Amino acid sequence: MVRITNGGRLSSPVAHVQLSHDPAKAATSLPVPLTDYIERPHVIAALRGLLNEAGVRLITLTGPGGVGKTRLALRLAVELEAAFTSGVAFVPLATVSDPKLVPSTIALALSLELGDDRQTFFGLNARIHGGSMLLVLDNFEHVVPATPIITRLLTACPGLTVLTTSRAPLRHSGEHVFVVPPMRQADLAQTSAAEVLESESGRLFVARATAATSQFVLTDENAGNVAELCRRLEGIPLAIELAAAQVPTLPPSTLLDRLGPRLPLLRGGPRDAPGRLRSMYDAIAWSYDLLTPDEQHLFRRLAVFAGGCTLAAAEAVGDSANLLDELAALVSGSLIQMRVRPRTGPRYVMLETIREFGLQQLAANGEAEVVRGEHARYYLDLAERGWPHWSTPEESAWIASIREEQDNFRAALVWLRQSEDFPLAIRLIGAIWPFWDRQDQRLEGLSWLRQALVWSAGDRTRERVRILNGAAALNCSLIKDYDPAGTAWSEESLSVADEIDDAEGAIQALVSIACNALLRGDFDVAASLAKAGLARIRAAGAAFPHAACAEVDLLGFLGYIALEQHEDARAERLISDAQARKRELGFLSGEANDSLLLAVLAYRRGDMTLAMACCQQGLPHALASGGLQTLLFLLDRLAIIAGEDPRQATIAVQMGGAVERLHEVLATRPNKDEQSDRDRARAAARAQLGEEA
C-alpha cells in the first residue's frame, strides 16, 4: 500500500466532510427516527420556556434509561432549528468510551479540522460567527469526566447553547437540569378507547402494537387492559414499546397477566446494575425471559457489537444453526432493530440500554471473554482482507465500510489492549491506519500507533513495518512539517522490510523518507528516493498486486517535485501522464490534486483559460473524494485566476474572502506557496475596485 503525502502542502484529503451551502449554518443534519414521534406538548413547552430564560446556555435532560431523553432532545432540536442562526448539531456519544475523544467527536460531527482541543473550540466559534447554535450532546453519561470541555466550549463560544442527555446531572456550575417525566397516562376510571388515545402512553402503545400486527385494534373492551399496562409500566416509552412488540403473540389481557408482580412499578433492578438499568432492568429482563434459550444465547452474543452489525458479522459471532429465525425473533421482540443500508444490506442495532443489559447477561453466563475475542478476531480478519484496497480504485468503498464499523473496530482494539493480546492489536492497528489518515482522525490513529510501536519494539516482521510506516505517515500529515522522528521510523521500516523481503513495506518506507526530504527542501534527495521506489515497484512484479496504482502515484509525486524546482516542462509531462493513467485505471482519488498542479503550471505561463479549465475539472473529483483541503486550494487558485481579469475583480475578491473564511471555519491553512500569486491578484483587484469596495 502506497500513499503519497507531502505534509498537507497541496493535497491533504479529508474524507466524508461536506460543505454546507451556507457556511454560517454548516451544522450536522439531525438523525431521522425510524418510528413516529408521539407528541408531548407539555414537555416541549416547558423546555422552550427554559431556553428562553436569560442566561440559560446548558440544559441537561435526565431520567432513567428508556424514558425518551434522546427522542425528546431530537424533537426539540427540530422545532428550534430555525431559531438558531448558525444551525443545530447532533453529536451521539453512546459509543465513545474515552472522554478524551469528546472534542474530536464534536469536531468530526461538525466537519471541523481535527487538531488539539483549542483548534476545535476555535473552529466551532468561527462556525457560529457571531450567530447562535444549539449543540446536542447525546448520552453524555458515558463521558462524564469530559464535563470541563463543556465549560471551555461555552466560554470560547458566546453564541453556543448546549443540550445534553444523561442518566444523571453533570454537576456543572451553569447547568439547568430538566428531569424528563414519564408519558402521561389515561385515567383508569375512564377506560374507553377514546380516553386511552388521549394519553401519550396509550397512543404510543397503540402505535407500536398496530405496527407489530395489523390484527390489533383498540376497542372499548381492551382499552382498560391497555391503560393498566401503561400504568404498570409507569409510562416509560421503552418499556411500553417492548410490551407492545409482544402483541402478535400475547394480547393485552395476557400481557397484563404475565407482568404479574415482576414489574409493579418498573423498579427492582439490582443495586449494582448500571444506573441507566435500575428502572428498566426488569422491563428488559421480562422481554428477555420470553425468548427461548437459543434466542437468549444469540441476544447475549450480539450485545458485543458496538453500533450494530451486518448479517455476516452476526453469523460469525452468533454461533447458531438457526440464526436467521432467532434473529427474526429478536427483531420482532424489539430487542434489536433492523436498519437497511443500500450498500451493505440489513444492519442489526441494539438500543444502548438493551445492549448494556445484554453485556451484563453475557458476563453473568461466563461468555464475555470468549465472545469479545471472537468479535475482535472477526474485525481483524475484515481489516486484513481490506488491506489490498488502500490506494486503489476500491479505496472509497472500503473507507465507507470501515466508517460504518468504526465503533466495532474501536471496541475490538480496546478489548485487545485490555486482554493484553498485543500481537493481534498490532495486526489490527497496522491494517487500518490508512483509514485514520484518510478520514483526518490522525490524533486518534497516532495514539494507537505509538502504543503499537512500544508493543512491537524489536520485532522484525511485516506487522512492525506497517506500524512504522503508519506512524511516519500520520505524523507527517499531522504536523505538516519535517520531523526527524518520522524519518527515523521510515528508515527502520525500510531496514526491516528489506531484511524480510517485504517489497510493499519497503516502497512505502521509501515514499515516507522522500516526503520528509521534500519538507526539508532536499528536492534532489526526494526525487532520487521516489525513483528508487519506482524501480522497486517495477521489480516487485506479482509480489505487489497494485503496482500500477502505486506507480502512477509516484509519477505524480515526481511531477510535484519538478514543479517545486520550477522545471515546468518536465513537471507537466509527468503530472499529465500520471493523470491520464489514473483515469485509465479508474483510480481517481488523485485526480483533483493533479488538476490543481496542472492549473498552477498553466498559470505560470500565462494561460488563464487552461488554468481555469483545470481547476473546474478538479472540483467534482475533490468533492467526490472528500478532499476538502484540495477543494479549497482549487477555489483559491480560481480566485487568483479571476484576479488577473479586471472584469472579474469582484468575483476574485468574493471567492478569495470565502476561501479565507472556510480556512478559518475548518481550522486549515492556505498553501503558503501560493502567497505571492495571491498577493498579486488582490493588489490587482484592489486597484480595479478601490480600497473602500
Side-chain angles (χ1 to χ4, degrees):
M1 191 283 300
V2 170
R3 177 69 171 181
I4 302 300
T5 63
N6 54 44
R9 300 173 74 188
L10 279 178
S11 176
S12 180
V14 182
H16 88 271
V17 176
Q18 296 181 344
L19 287 174
S20 168
H21 294 294
D22 180 1
K25 284 195 81 168
T28 60
S29 58
L30 296 171
V32 179
L34 298 177
T35 53
D36 292 336
Y37 174 76
I38 303 301
E39 294 292 344
R40 305 179 71 178
H42 64 292
V43 180
I44 293 292
L47 283 168
R48 279 178 171 272
L50 184 57
L51 278 167
N52 286 331
E53 291 181 16
V56 175
R57 297 180 59 208
L58 171 61
I59 296 177
T60 299
L61 303 184
T62 70
V67 80
K69 299 184 293 294
T70 297
R71 289 295 292 264
L72 192 60
L74 280 172
R75 186 63 175 184
L76 185 66
V78 168
E79 293 197 11
L80 296 177
E81 192 167 12
F84 288 87
T85 59
S86 296
V88 174
F90 182 86
V91 183
L93 298 172
T95 58
V96 178
S97 58
D98 187 352
K100 294 177 183 177
L101 292 178
V102 170
S104 60
T105 303
I106 294 173
L108 284 171
L110 274 73
S111 300
L112 303 176
E113 179 80 322
L114 289 184
D116 57 22
D117 295 358
R118 188 166 53 85
Q119 279 184 289
T120 298
F121 303 148
F122 173 81
L124 181 57
N125 195 38
R127 175 70 55 81
I128 296 172
H129 192 48
S132 59
M133 175 184 283
L134 177 64
L135 180 65
V136 181
L137 303 177
D138 190 43
N139 286 115
F140 203 86
E141 64 268 11
H142 294 268
V143 288
V144 169
T147 299
I149 291 169
I150 296 180
T151 302
R152 296 168 63 191
L153 279 172
L154 292 171
T155 302
C157 307
L160 181 67
T161 298
V162 177
L163 177 67
T164 68
T165 71
S166 177
R167 291 194 304 259
L170 309 185
R171 303 191 184 282
H172 185 285
S173 58
E175 179 185 30
H176 292 259
V177 177
F178 186 94
V179 179
V180 177
M183 285 185 152
R184 290 185 171 180
Q185 302 163 45
D187 185 348
L188 290 178
Q190 302 173 5
T191 55
S192 68
E195 291 291 339
V196 168
L197 289 175
E198 286 182 9
S199 69
E200 296 164 356
S201 57
R203 288 200 302 275
L204 176 62
F205 183 94
V206 172
R208 301 300 183 259
T210 304
T213 173
S214 60
Q215 303 300 312
F216 176 78
V217 178
L218 180 68
T219 65
D220 288 341
E221 285 70 32
N222 63 18
N225 289 327
V226 171
E228 176 62 15
L229 274 169
C230 293
R231 185 190 71 80
R232 298 271 292 277
L233 297 174
E234 278 199 323
I236 303 293
L238 179 56
I240 293 170
E241 293 191 355
L242 289 170
Q246 305 301 326
V247 166
T249 54
L250 299 173
S253 59
T254 307
L255 275 172
L256 198 55
D257 293 336
R258 290 293 297 269
L259 281 176
R262 298 236 4 237
L263 290 171
L265 294 174
L266 205 65
R267 296 193 179 101
R271 291 185 179 274
D272 60 347
R276 71 188 299 171
L277 295 181
R278 286 174 190 159
S279 60
M280 287 301 301
Y281 184 92
D282 283 346
I284 301 171
W286 166 70
S287 188
Y288 174 76
D289 288 343
L290 292 175
L291 302 174
T292 67
D294 287 343
E295 291 165 356
Q296 291 177 346
H297 179 73
L298 178 62
F299 168 75
R300 293 193 301 269
R301 283 179 159 261
L302 295 186
V304 76
F305 291 101
C309 65
T310 62
L311 181 58
E315 289 173 332
V317 177
D319 184 29
S320 172
N322 300 305
L323 183 133
L324 290 178
D325 290 340
E326 293 161 12
L327 200 54
L330 297 179
V331 172
S332 65
S334 289
L335 288 169
I336 286 182
Q337 297 178 357
M338 185 186 74
R339 301 173 183 175
V340 179
R341 299 285 192 267
R343 188 179 56 82
T344 58
R347 188 168 186 83
Y348 300 93
V349 181
M350 285 186 187
L351 295 175
E352 279 303 305
T353 304
I354 295 175
R355 179 171 177 258
E356 286 189 18
F357 175 88
L359 289 173
Q360 187 183 66
Q361 295 300 310
L362 192 68
N365 283 270
E367 302 166 326
E369 186 171 347
V370 171
V371 176
R372 284 191 179 278
E374 292 176 356
H375 172 272
R377 285 188 289 276
Y378 173 80
Y379 285 100
L380 169 61
D381 179 65
L382 183 66
E384 291 186 329
R385 283 189 283 114
W387 173 262
H389 297 315
W390 293 118
S391 295
T392 72
E394 295 82 32
E395 181 178 279
S396 295
W398 177 231
I399 286 175
S401 297
I402 294 189
R403 190 186 305 132
E404 192 164 41
E405 298 290 355
Q406 186 169 9
D407 290 333
N408 279 309
F409 279 113
R410 281 174 171 162
L413 283 172
V414 169
W415 169 253
L416 291 173
R417 180 175 60 190
Q418 288 176 348
S419 61
E420 298 186 354
D421 194 341
F422 299 135
L424 292 190
I426 291 165
R427 287 170 56 188
L428 180 53
I429 294 166
I432 65 168
W433 72 257
F435 172 80
W436 290 315
D437 188 39
R438 309 302 197 266
Q439 294 292 280
D440 203 28
Q441 298 179 27
R442 299 183 185 97
L443 282 173
E444 180 180 353
L446 195 55
S447 173
W448 282 109
L449 283 159
R450 286 183 182 277
Q451 293 176 71
L453 285 171
V454 175
W455 299 333
S456 63
D459 292 354
R460 314 295 285 179
T461 62
R462 186 182 301 269
E463 289 73 25
R464 173 70 176 177
V465 169
R466 286 185 180 178
I467 294 298
L468 288 163
N469 284 336
L474 265 65
N475 188 63
C476 180
S477 297
L478 189 63
I479 66 172
K480 301 179 181 178
D481 206 348
Y482 172 70
D483 181 3
T487 299
W489 290 331
S490 298
E491 288 175 347
E492 181 189 342
S493 174
L494 180 60
S495 172
V496 176
D498 282 342
E499 179 182 319
I500 64 174
D501 198 25
D502 179 3
E504 182 181 13
I507 293 164
Q508 178 63 39
L510 277 172
V511 170
S512 292
I513 299 171
C515 288
N516 273 290
L518 185 62
L519 289 171
R520 291 195 311 267
D522 292 341
F523 300 122
D524 291 340
V525 172
S528 176
L529 289 165
K531 290 175 183 175
L534 276 175
R536 287 187 179 230
I537 289 172
R538 290 161 182 164
F544 199 172
H546 298 291
C549 292
E551 184 175 349
V552 295
D553 247 355
L554 271 175
L555 284 175
F557 183 54
L558 283 168
Y560 176 65
I561 295 172
L563 182 149
E564 289 285 283
Q565 294 178 297
H566 288 270
E567 297 178 2
D568 289 6
R570 183 167 176 272
E572 184 168 12
R573 184 175 67 256
L574 287 167
I575 295 167
S576 297
D577 184 27
Q579 187 180 53
R581 290 173 65 180
K582 286 176 187 175
R583 194 173 294 120
E584 290 175 5
L585 291 167
F587 180 34
L588 302 179
S589 62
E591 183 86 10
N593 193 53
D594 291 338
S595 296
L596 173 62
L597 298 179
L598 292 173
V600 172
L601 290 167
Y603 178 88
R604 281 184 180 177
R605 63 172 180 266
D607 190 341
M608 299 305 159
T609 301
L610 178 59
M612 183 168 290
C614 288
C615 288
Q616 291 171 338
Q617 181 187 46
L619 287 173
H621 296 303
L623 284 168
S625 67
L628 188 57
Q629 190 159 325
T630 300
L631 175 65
L632 293 187
F633 288 158
L634 285 164
L635 293 174
D636 192 15
R637 178 53 58 176
L638 281 172
I640 292 170
I641 295 167
E644 297 288 334
D645 185 346
R647 296 168 299 176
Q648 299 189 65
T650 299
I651 293 175
V653 171
Q654 290 174 337
M655 188 175 293
V659 170
E660 276 190 5
R661 173 70 183 139
L662 287 167
H663 275 300
E664 290 176 6
V665 167
L666 298 167
T668 56
R669 294 183 292 182
N671 187 349
K672 61 183 180 181
D673 296 337
E674 311 284 303
Q675 194 57 49
S676 60
D677 293 344
R678 195 179 294 115
D679 290 342
R680 184 170 63 252
R682 289 181 180 177
R686 185 175 289 109
Q688 179 71 22
L689 299 174
E691 187 64 34
E692 183 178 351

